[in-house]
Amino acid sequence: MSENKNQGSDLTEAALYFHQHPRPGKLEIQATKPLGNQRDLALAYSPGVAAPCEEIAKDPSKAADYTARGNLVGVISNGTAVLGLGAIGPLASKPVMEGKAVLFKKFAGIDVFDIEVDELDVDRFVDAVAVLEPTFGGINLEDIKAPECFQIEAKLRQRMNIPVFHDDQHGTAIIVGAAVRNGLELAGKDMSEAKIVASGAGAAALACLNMLVSLGAKVENIWISDIEGVVYEGRETLMDEWKAKFAQKTDKRTLAEIIDGADVFLGLSAAGVLKPDMVARMGDGPLILALANPRPEIMPEDALAVRSDVVMCTGRSDYPNQVNNVLCFPYIFRGALDVGATTINEEMKHAAVKAIAELAKEEPSDVAARAYGGVTETFGPKYLIPSPFDQRLILRIAPAVAKAAMETGVATRPIEDFDAYLDRLNRFVFRSGLVMKPIIQAASQDPKRVIYAEGEDERVLRAAQVLLEDKVAVPILVGRPDVLKTRCERFGLKIRPGVDFEFINPQDDPRYRDYVDEYFSCVGRKGLPPDAARTIVRTNTTVISALAVRRGDADAVICGLEGRYIRHLRDIRQIIGPRPGVRDLSALSLLINSRGAVFLSDTFVTEEPDAEELAEMALLAAEEIERFGIAPKVALLSLSNFGSRDTASSRKMRDALQILWDKCPDLEVDGEMHGDSALSEVLRQRVMPDSKLTGEANLLLFPNLDAANIALNLLKVATQALHVGPILLGTSKPAHILTPSVTSRGVVNMSALACVEAQKKGAATLG
């Protein structure tokens, strides 16, 4: 219990810091048009703004062409049912509403204004929201208690000609609908015959049950138990018209009495209400959706201990089959907004259910398999519904919802070219900034031992705690145990050396002599005498870490937080070295900003690469990019734009291109070209209409180290990008040299990447 309290305290402090720094909140407003001169200002405001105003006055549908309304959703709450916090009020709910806005933007590219309304009266709340219709393309109602939420949604849908969607109800219902549909299919059962028992009768639970009825379940087969016990005919306490629909004619009064023979248990109530003996009395192959958070109605291991044929879903990310609203609400709104839907009707919700259910049955794509380290679940008890971070969700749900809107006549702007629409969604997927998620998930499937040369550094210690809590890696820190312990305490971290993580004490380790012998075998014929080798192994933590990986005491090394990159590179080259067939190492940097992800190479190693080296860098980088689930698109950059200048540098890039075309004809690569041509297909087409590169390049290859490193640092600051890397390519074992500017978040990201590389190398060795 004390450990859980400590974890809760750590998370609370981290969350408060996260929300306050570097500036309060999680949202900001940015201009989407350049405002660099007087003409821009004249177009954006007076007098130019009059032109779109007049067009919209003549034709209101033009608002979607000239304003952000068509991509703008209002997330609106009165704070009466906030997460697990209850009626904390509208102001205290604002962090949650901002969080919802962030999810809309991150997962579907939808802009949001969060609006917190200080009003409990249903009609006055409805009046306050309804008059906002000119502002928004859709309304997402959030965290409003039942039964008022039913009344509010119904009245707003009558008054407003845009989608109104209470996600707590319908988002949960759609995912539950997909899970139950697939779960019953897996068990060989029919929805119309299934006995469904629900614990909880709030907005989400009732919406889920209504969804199941619309999918074929029979009301007479549905039993509800809430805080007052079984919902039965004649009960008066805590009853309303929505709950009364499911009242059974029975003398049973407890959950334990109605659970016998149940095919499905739906829990949206409280931790621990479903007891193991109740699970034992359920029907064959029961499906349990225990969705209370953070502790479900029954823990999966407790249910499976009673019987092995149970199929479990929870709301937690650390178990299979996570029922998370982010699986659907961003994409439902994406499809609805893209066709200018006037509502989200039952057919659109059913389309989402079907899309989610069928995605779980799809064969994992090559891209998805690479993204998740080659380990992907297939349809079965542990994979009834897709992961919330499956990149294909938007590609399946949004078009399905859009088509349903068009077929049911609620689309005001029907999509004419669905191929072009799918292409636009595809391009968004890889601009969403979720690049690291599949890497971190793959790492957590089989955490590897990562050794940190600068183990006493605060950033490493903080990263180690995150890695341990999230089970992403098994950290080994090089450092003095007393210093490690003192610094953990000083920084308020709960981890302790020798208890939570291993360490190598450079001043006193029983493997010291073995490490010296190993090191001398690497450098003894390179002018280094034995005495010097002994001193270095005692004092150089990068050497110690690299030797640990070489000897098999660790799976990957992270170094470089202190000192010069070139010094660490020397040690890694000498001890770990390049893998067979690789001429030399190179460094790849990933920048993630609002445009998406772009990789740059070689940013730290080779000063003046020749054409062969450039081609090797490109192939190594392309291989690494595929690990992220991204198809590489390579641009060889130069001062020359497809032959516009004839210099030694531009000729070198042309030679490298020819080598790549010869060695890897399937790789999408072209050059030599300007940087703007690489990132803009329109500009590229003007000078090279038959370019072999399509869309935006995501791997930029530079003619020398000066150009690459300067571009990296300028872009990092100018675009406020997250830098992942440098990623050292071509090593025989995973090794990465970071830079002194790296943050603890950067250490976590690189640790996950190192783990995935170690998994792959381990699998190759076993093979």
Side-chain angles (χ1 to χ4, degrees):
M1 182 65 72
S2 61
E3 181 180 350
N4 289 336
K5 285 183 178 178
N6 287 336
Q7 289 179 350
S9 176
D10 292 336
L11 183 62
T12 297
E13 291 180 15
L16 291 175
Y17 184 89
F18 175 87
H19 280 79
Q20 187 175 9
H21 300 282
R23 55 188 293 186
K26 298 187 286 281
L27 298 174
E28 67 176 1
I29 295 175
Q30 289 187 338
T32 59
K33 300 294 189 294
L35 299 171
N37 54 43
Q38 184 59 41
R39 179 170 176 77
D40 290 342
L41 294 173
L43 292 171
Y45 197 54
S46 180
V49 74
C53 291
E54 290 171 342
E55 291 298 312
I56 295 169
K58 289 186 289 185
D59 180 0
S61 69
K62 293 292 184 181
D65 298 325
Y66 298 126
T67 75
R69 181 177 185 263
N71 194 52
L72 186 62
V73 166
V75 171
I76 304 179
S77 179
N78 62 4
T80 53
V82 181
L83 295 177
L85 304 175
I88 60 175
L91 184 58
S93 77
K94 190 171 180 64
V96 179
M97 302 312 122
E98 285 190 354
K100 192 81 171 191
V102 169
L103 296 179
F104 266 111
K105 187 66 173 180
K106 184 64 70 175
F107 285 92
I110 294 171
D111 296 313
V112 164
F113 289 157
D114 66 288
I115 298 178
E116 293 72 36
V117 180
D118 190 6
E119 183 54 68
L120 299 179
D121 180 81
V122 168
D123 289 326
R124 293 184 64 182
F125 183 93
V126 168
D127 288 341
V129 176
V131 296
L132 298 175
E133 181 170 341
T135 302
F136 297 110
I139 299 293
N140 182 95
L141 298 173
E142 192 76 14
D143 292 352
I144 303 171
K145 75 180 182 73
E148 289 87 340
C149 61
F150 305 126
Q151 300 166 336
I152 288 170
E153 184 185 44
K155 292 187 176 189
L156 285 174
R157 291 185 67 174
Q158 288 177 351
R159 290 180 57 176
M160 302 183 80
N161 204 36
I162 58 175
V164 178
F165 187 83
H166 185 207
D167 181 47
D168 299 328
Q169 292 183 59
H170 309 299
T172 306
I174 286 166
I175 305 161
V176 165
V180 172
R181 171 178 154 155
N182 279 353
L184 291 177
E185 178 182 322
L186 200 63
K189 299 177 181 180
D190 189 272
M191 181 81 76
S192 64
E193 299 174 356
K195 178 179 179 181
I196 300 167
V197 175
S199 174
L206 292 174
C208 290
L209 295 176
N210 284 322
M211 171 61 74
L212 295 179
V213 170
S214 73
L215 292 173
K218 299 291 179 60
V219 172
E220 55 265 31
N221 293 336
I222 295 174
W223 297 73
I224 300 177
S225 174
D226 63 8
I227 196 169
E228 288 292 326
V230 172
V231 173
Y232 61 89
E233 287 186 7
R235 193 180 108 174
E236 297 180 358
T237 308
L238 287 182
M239 290 296 289
D240 55 54
E241 61 182 285
W242 299 276
K243 196 185 299 185
K245 171 182 175 181
F246 297 99
Q248 293 279 5
K249 189 173 184 178
T250 180
D251 58 358
K252 297 176 181 180
R253 295 295 181 263
T254 67
L255 177 62
E257 293 178 276
I258 61 174
I259 197 68
D260 289 356
D263 298 295
V264 178
F265 171 82
L266 172 64
L268 283 153
S269 53
V273 300
L274 184 65
K275 307 301 181 185
D277 66 291
M278 299 182 194
V279 174
R281 304 203 310 274
M282 293 181 70
D284 295 336
L287 172 62
I288 296 176
L289 298 99
L291 306 183
N293 257 331
R295 290 191 62 82
E297 285 77 4
I298 188 168
M299 295 297 290
E301 54 267 28
D302 294 335
L304 289 165
V306 176
R307 51 193 299 177
S308 60
D309 62 342
V310 168
V311 178
M312 287 289 306
C313 298
T314 71
R316 294 171 53 136
S317 61
D318 52 347
Y319 289 98
N321 299 321
Q322 183 191 11
V323 175
N324 185 328
N325 285 17
V326 82
L327 260 170
C328 70
F329 76 80
Y331 317 121
I332 289 170
F333 269 96
R334 181 72 280 157
L337 292 174
D338 289 339
V339 294
T342 57
T343 187
I344 294 176
N345 56 31
E346 288 302 305
E347 291 83 357
M348 294 161 74
K349 288 186 278 186
H350 279 205
V353 170
K354 183 179 179 182
I356 294 169
E358 292 185 350
L359 177 56
K361 300 176 188 176
E362 287 188 27
E363 288 294 323
S365 67
D366 292 340
V367 170
R370 287 194 298 267
Y372 289 91
V375 181
T376 52
E377 291 286 353
T378 55
F379 181 61
K382 293 185 178 181
Y383 195 70
L384 288 182
I385 49 177
S387 161
F389 292 94
D390 192 317
Q391 295 172 325
R392 296 169 294 174
L393 283 165
I394 191 172
L395 306 177
R396 302 295 185 272
I397 299 175
V401 170
K403 286 179 180 177
M406 292 164 58
E407 290 168 359
T408 55
V410 298
T412 61
R413 299 191 306 277
I415 295 170
E416 296 181 1
D417 186 343
F418 260 90
D419 288 337
Y421 179 57
L422 287 171
D423 181 63
R424 179 158 64 87
L425 293 177
N426 260 301
R427 283 185 278 119
F428 167 77
V429 166
F430 296 110
R431 288 202 303 267
S432 64
L434 296 170
V435 178
M436 285 304 302
K437 185 61 187 180
I439 296 293
I440 290 172
Q441 181 164 328
S444 66
Q445 292 174 352
D446 182 18
K448 295 298 183 182
R449 300 164 301 166
V450 181
I451 189 166
Y452 300 86
E454 294 87 5
E456 296 175 359
D457 189 286
E458 178 183 357
R459 293 164 292 179
V460 170
L461 291 167
R462 292 192 180 279
Q465 177 156 308
V466 171
L467 293 166
L468 286 165
E469 288 178 350
D470 294 348
K471 299 178 182 177
V472 173
V474 180
I476 303 171
L477 276 56
V478 179
R480 297 158 292 179
D482 55 334
V483 174
L484 293 171
K485 181 175 182 294
T486 299
R487 292 189 176 181
C488 285
E489 293 172 350
R490 181 195 308 165
F491 302 139
L493 305 175
K494 69 176 187 296
I495 56 173
R496 295 294 180 265
V499 178
D500 302 295
F501 62 87
E502 295 181 38
F503 63 88
I504 292 180
N505 182 359
Q507 296 178 341
D508 181 21
D509 191 279
R511 296 165 290 187
Y512 171 69
R513 292 185 182 277
D514 295 335
Y515 275 43
V516 170
D517 292 342
E518 188 77 36
Y519 184 52
F520 189 71
S521 72
C522 298
V523 298
R525 295 185 179 275
K526 296 179 181 178
L528 191 75
D531 286 347
R534 284 190 284 271
T535 300
I536 289 173
V537 174
R538 186 74 76 187
T539 59
N540 188 322
T541 57
T542 297
V543 167
I544 296 170
S545 302
L547 289 169
V549 172
R550 180 182 172 95
R551 284 170 42 86
D553 296 335
D555 301 306
V557 56
I558 300 286
C559 61
L561 282 80
E562 300 171 4
R564 291 183 301 155
Y565 188 95
I566 196 69
R567 176 176 67 80
H568 297 283
L569 180 63
R570 176 201 64 203
D571 296 332
I572 296 297
R573 269 190 176 131
Q574 288 178 338
I575 299 168
I576 292 179
R579 74 189 193 204
V582 173
R583 294 175 53 175
D584 197 7
L585 309 181
S586 58
L588 178 70
S589 289
L590 164 61
L591 292 180
I592 304 172
N593 57 30
S594 58
R595 284 181 60 92
V598 62
F599 296 83
L600 294 77
S601 187
D602 165 22
T603 50
F604 280 90
V605 178
T606 307
E607 293 183 13
E608 289 291 343
D610 59 26
E612 287 282 355
E613 288 171 324
L614 284 166
E616 181 178 80
M617 289 173 188
L619 293 175
L620 289 172
E623 176 186 327
E624 188 70 23
I625 291 171
E626 289 181 341
R627 203 187 307 280
F628 290 82
I630 298 174
K633 295 174 177 283
V634 190
L636 280 67
L637 302 188
S638 173
L639 83 163
S640 171
N641 204 25
F642 296 103
S644 63
R645 297 281 296 272
D646 188 27
T647 66
S649 173
S650 60
R651 288 193 295 271
K652 177 174 70 173
M653 301 308 280
R654 285 174 222 155
D655 292 342
L657 176 65
Q658 190 60 55
I659 293 169
L660 289 170
W661 280 349
D662 293 341
K663 284 188 174 181
C664 193
D666 294 332
L667 180 65
E668 195 169 327
V669 55
D670 211 338
E672 79 290 4
M673 70 180 77
H674 289 171
D676 54 359
S677 294
L679 298 179
S680 170
E681 186 170 30
V682 172
L683 294 177
R684 187 166 62 252
Q685 287 290 322
R686 289 176 184 171
V687 293
M688 185 54 60
D690 61 348
S691 172
K692 296 188 177 182
L693 181 65
T694 60
E696 295 183 12
N698 53 33
L699 170 57
L700 307 180
L701 204 69
F702 294 84
N704 58 38
L705 185 57
D706 275 346
N709 194 269
I710 291 169
L712 167 67
N713 287 292
L714 282 175
L715 286 172
K716 184 167 62 174
V717 175
T719 65
Q720 297 182 332
L722 169 66
H723 178 210
V724 179
I727 304 167
L728 194 60
L729 303 179
T731 55
S732 61
K733 294 178 182 293
H736 295 292
I737 306 165
L738 309 186
T739 62
S741 64
V742 72
T743 63
S744 61
R745 180 186 182 190
V747 176
V748 170
N749 284 335
M750 288 305 300
S751 301
L753 189 60
C755 283
V756 173
E757 291 174 1
Q759 291 170 359
K760 182 179 179 183
K761 284 182 165 60
T765 302
L766 290 174

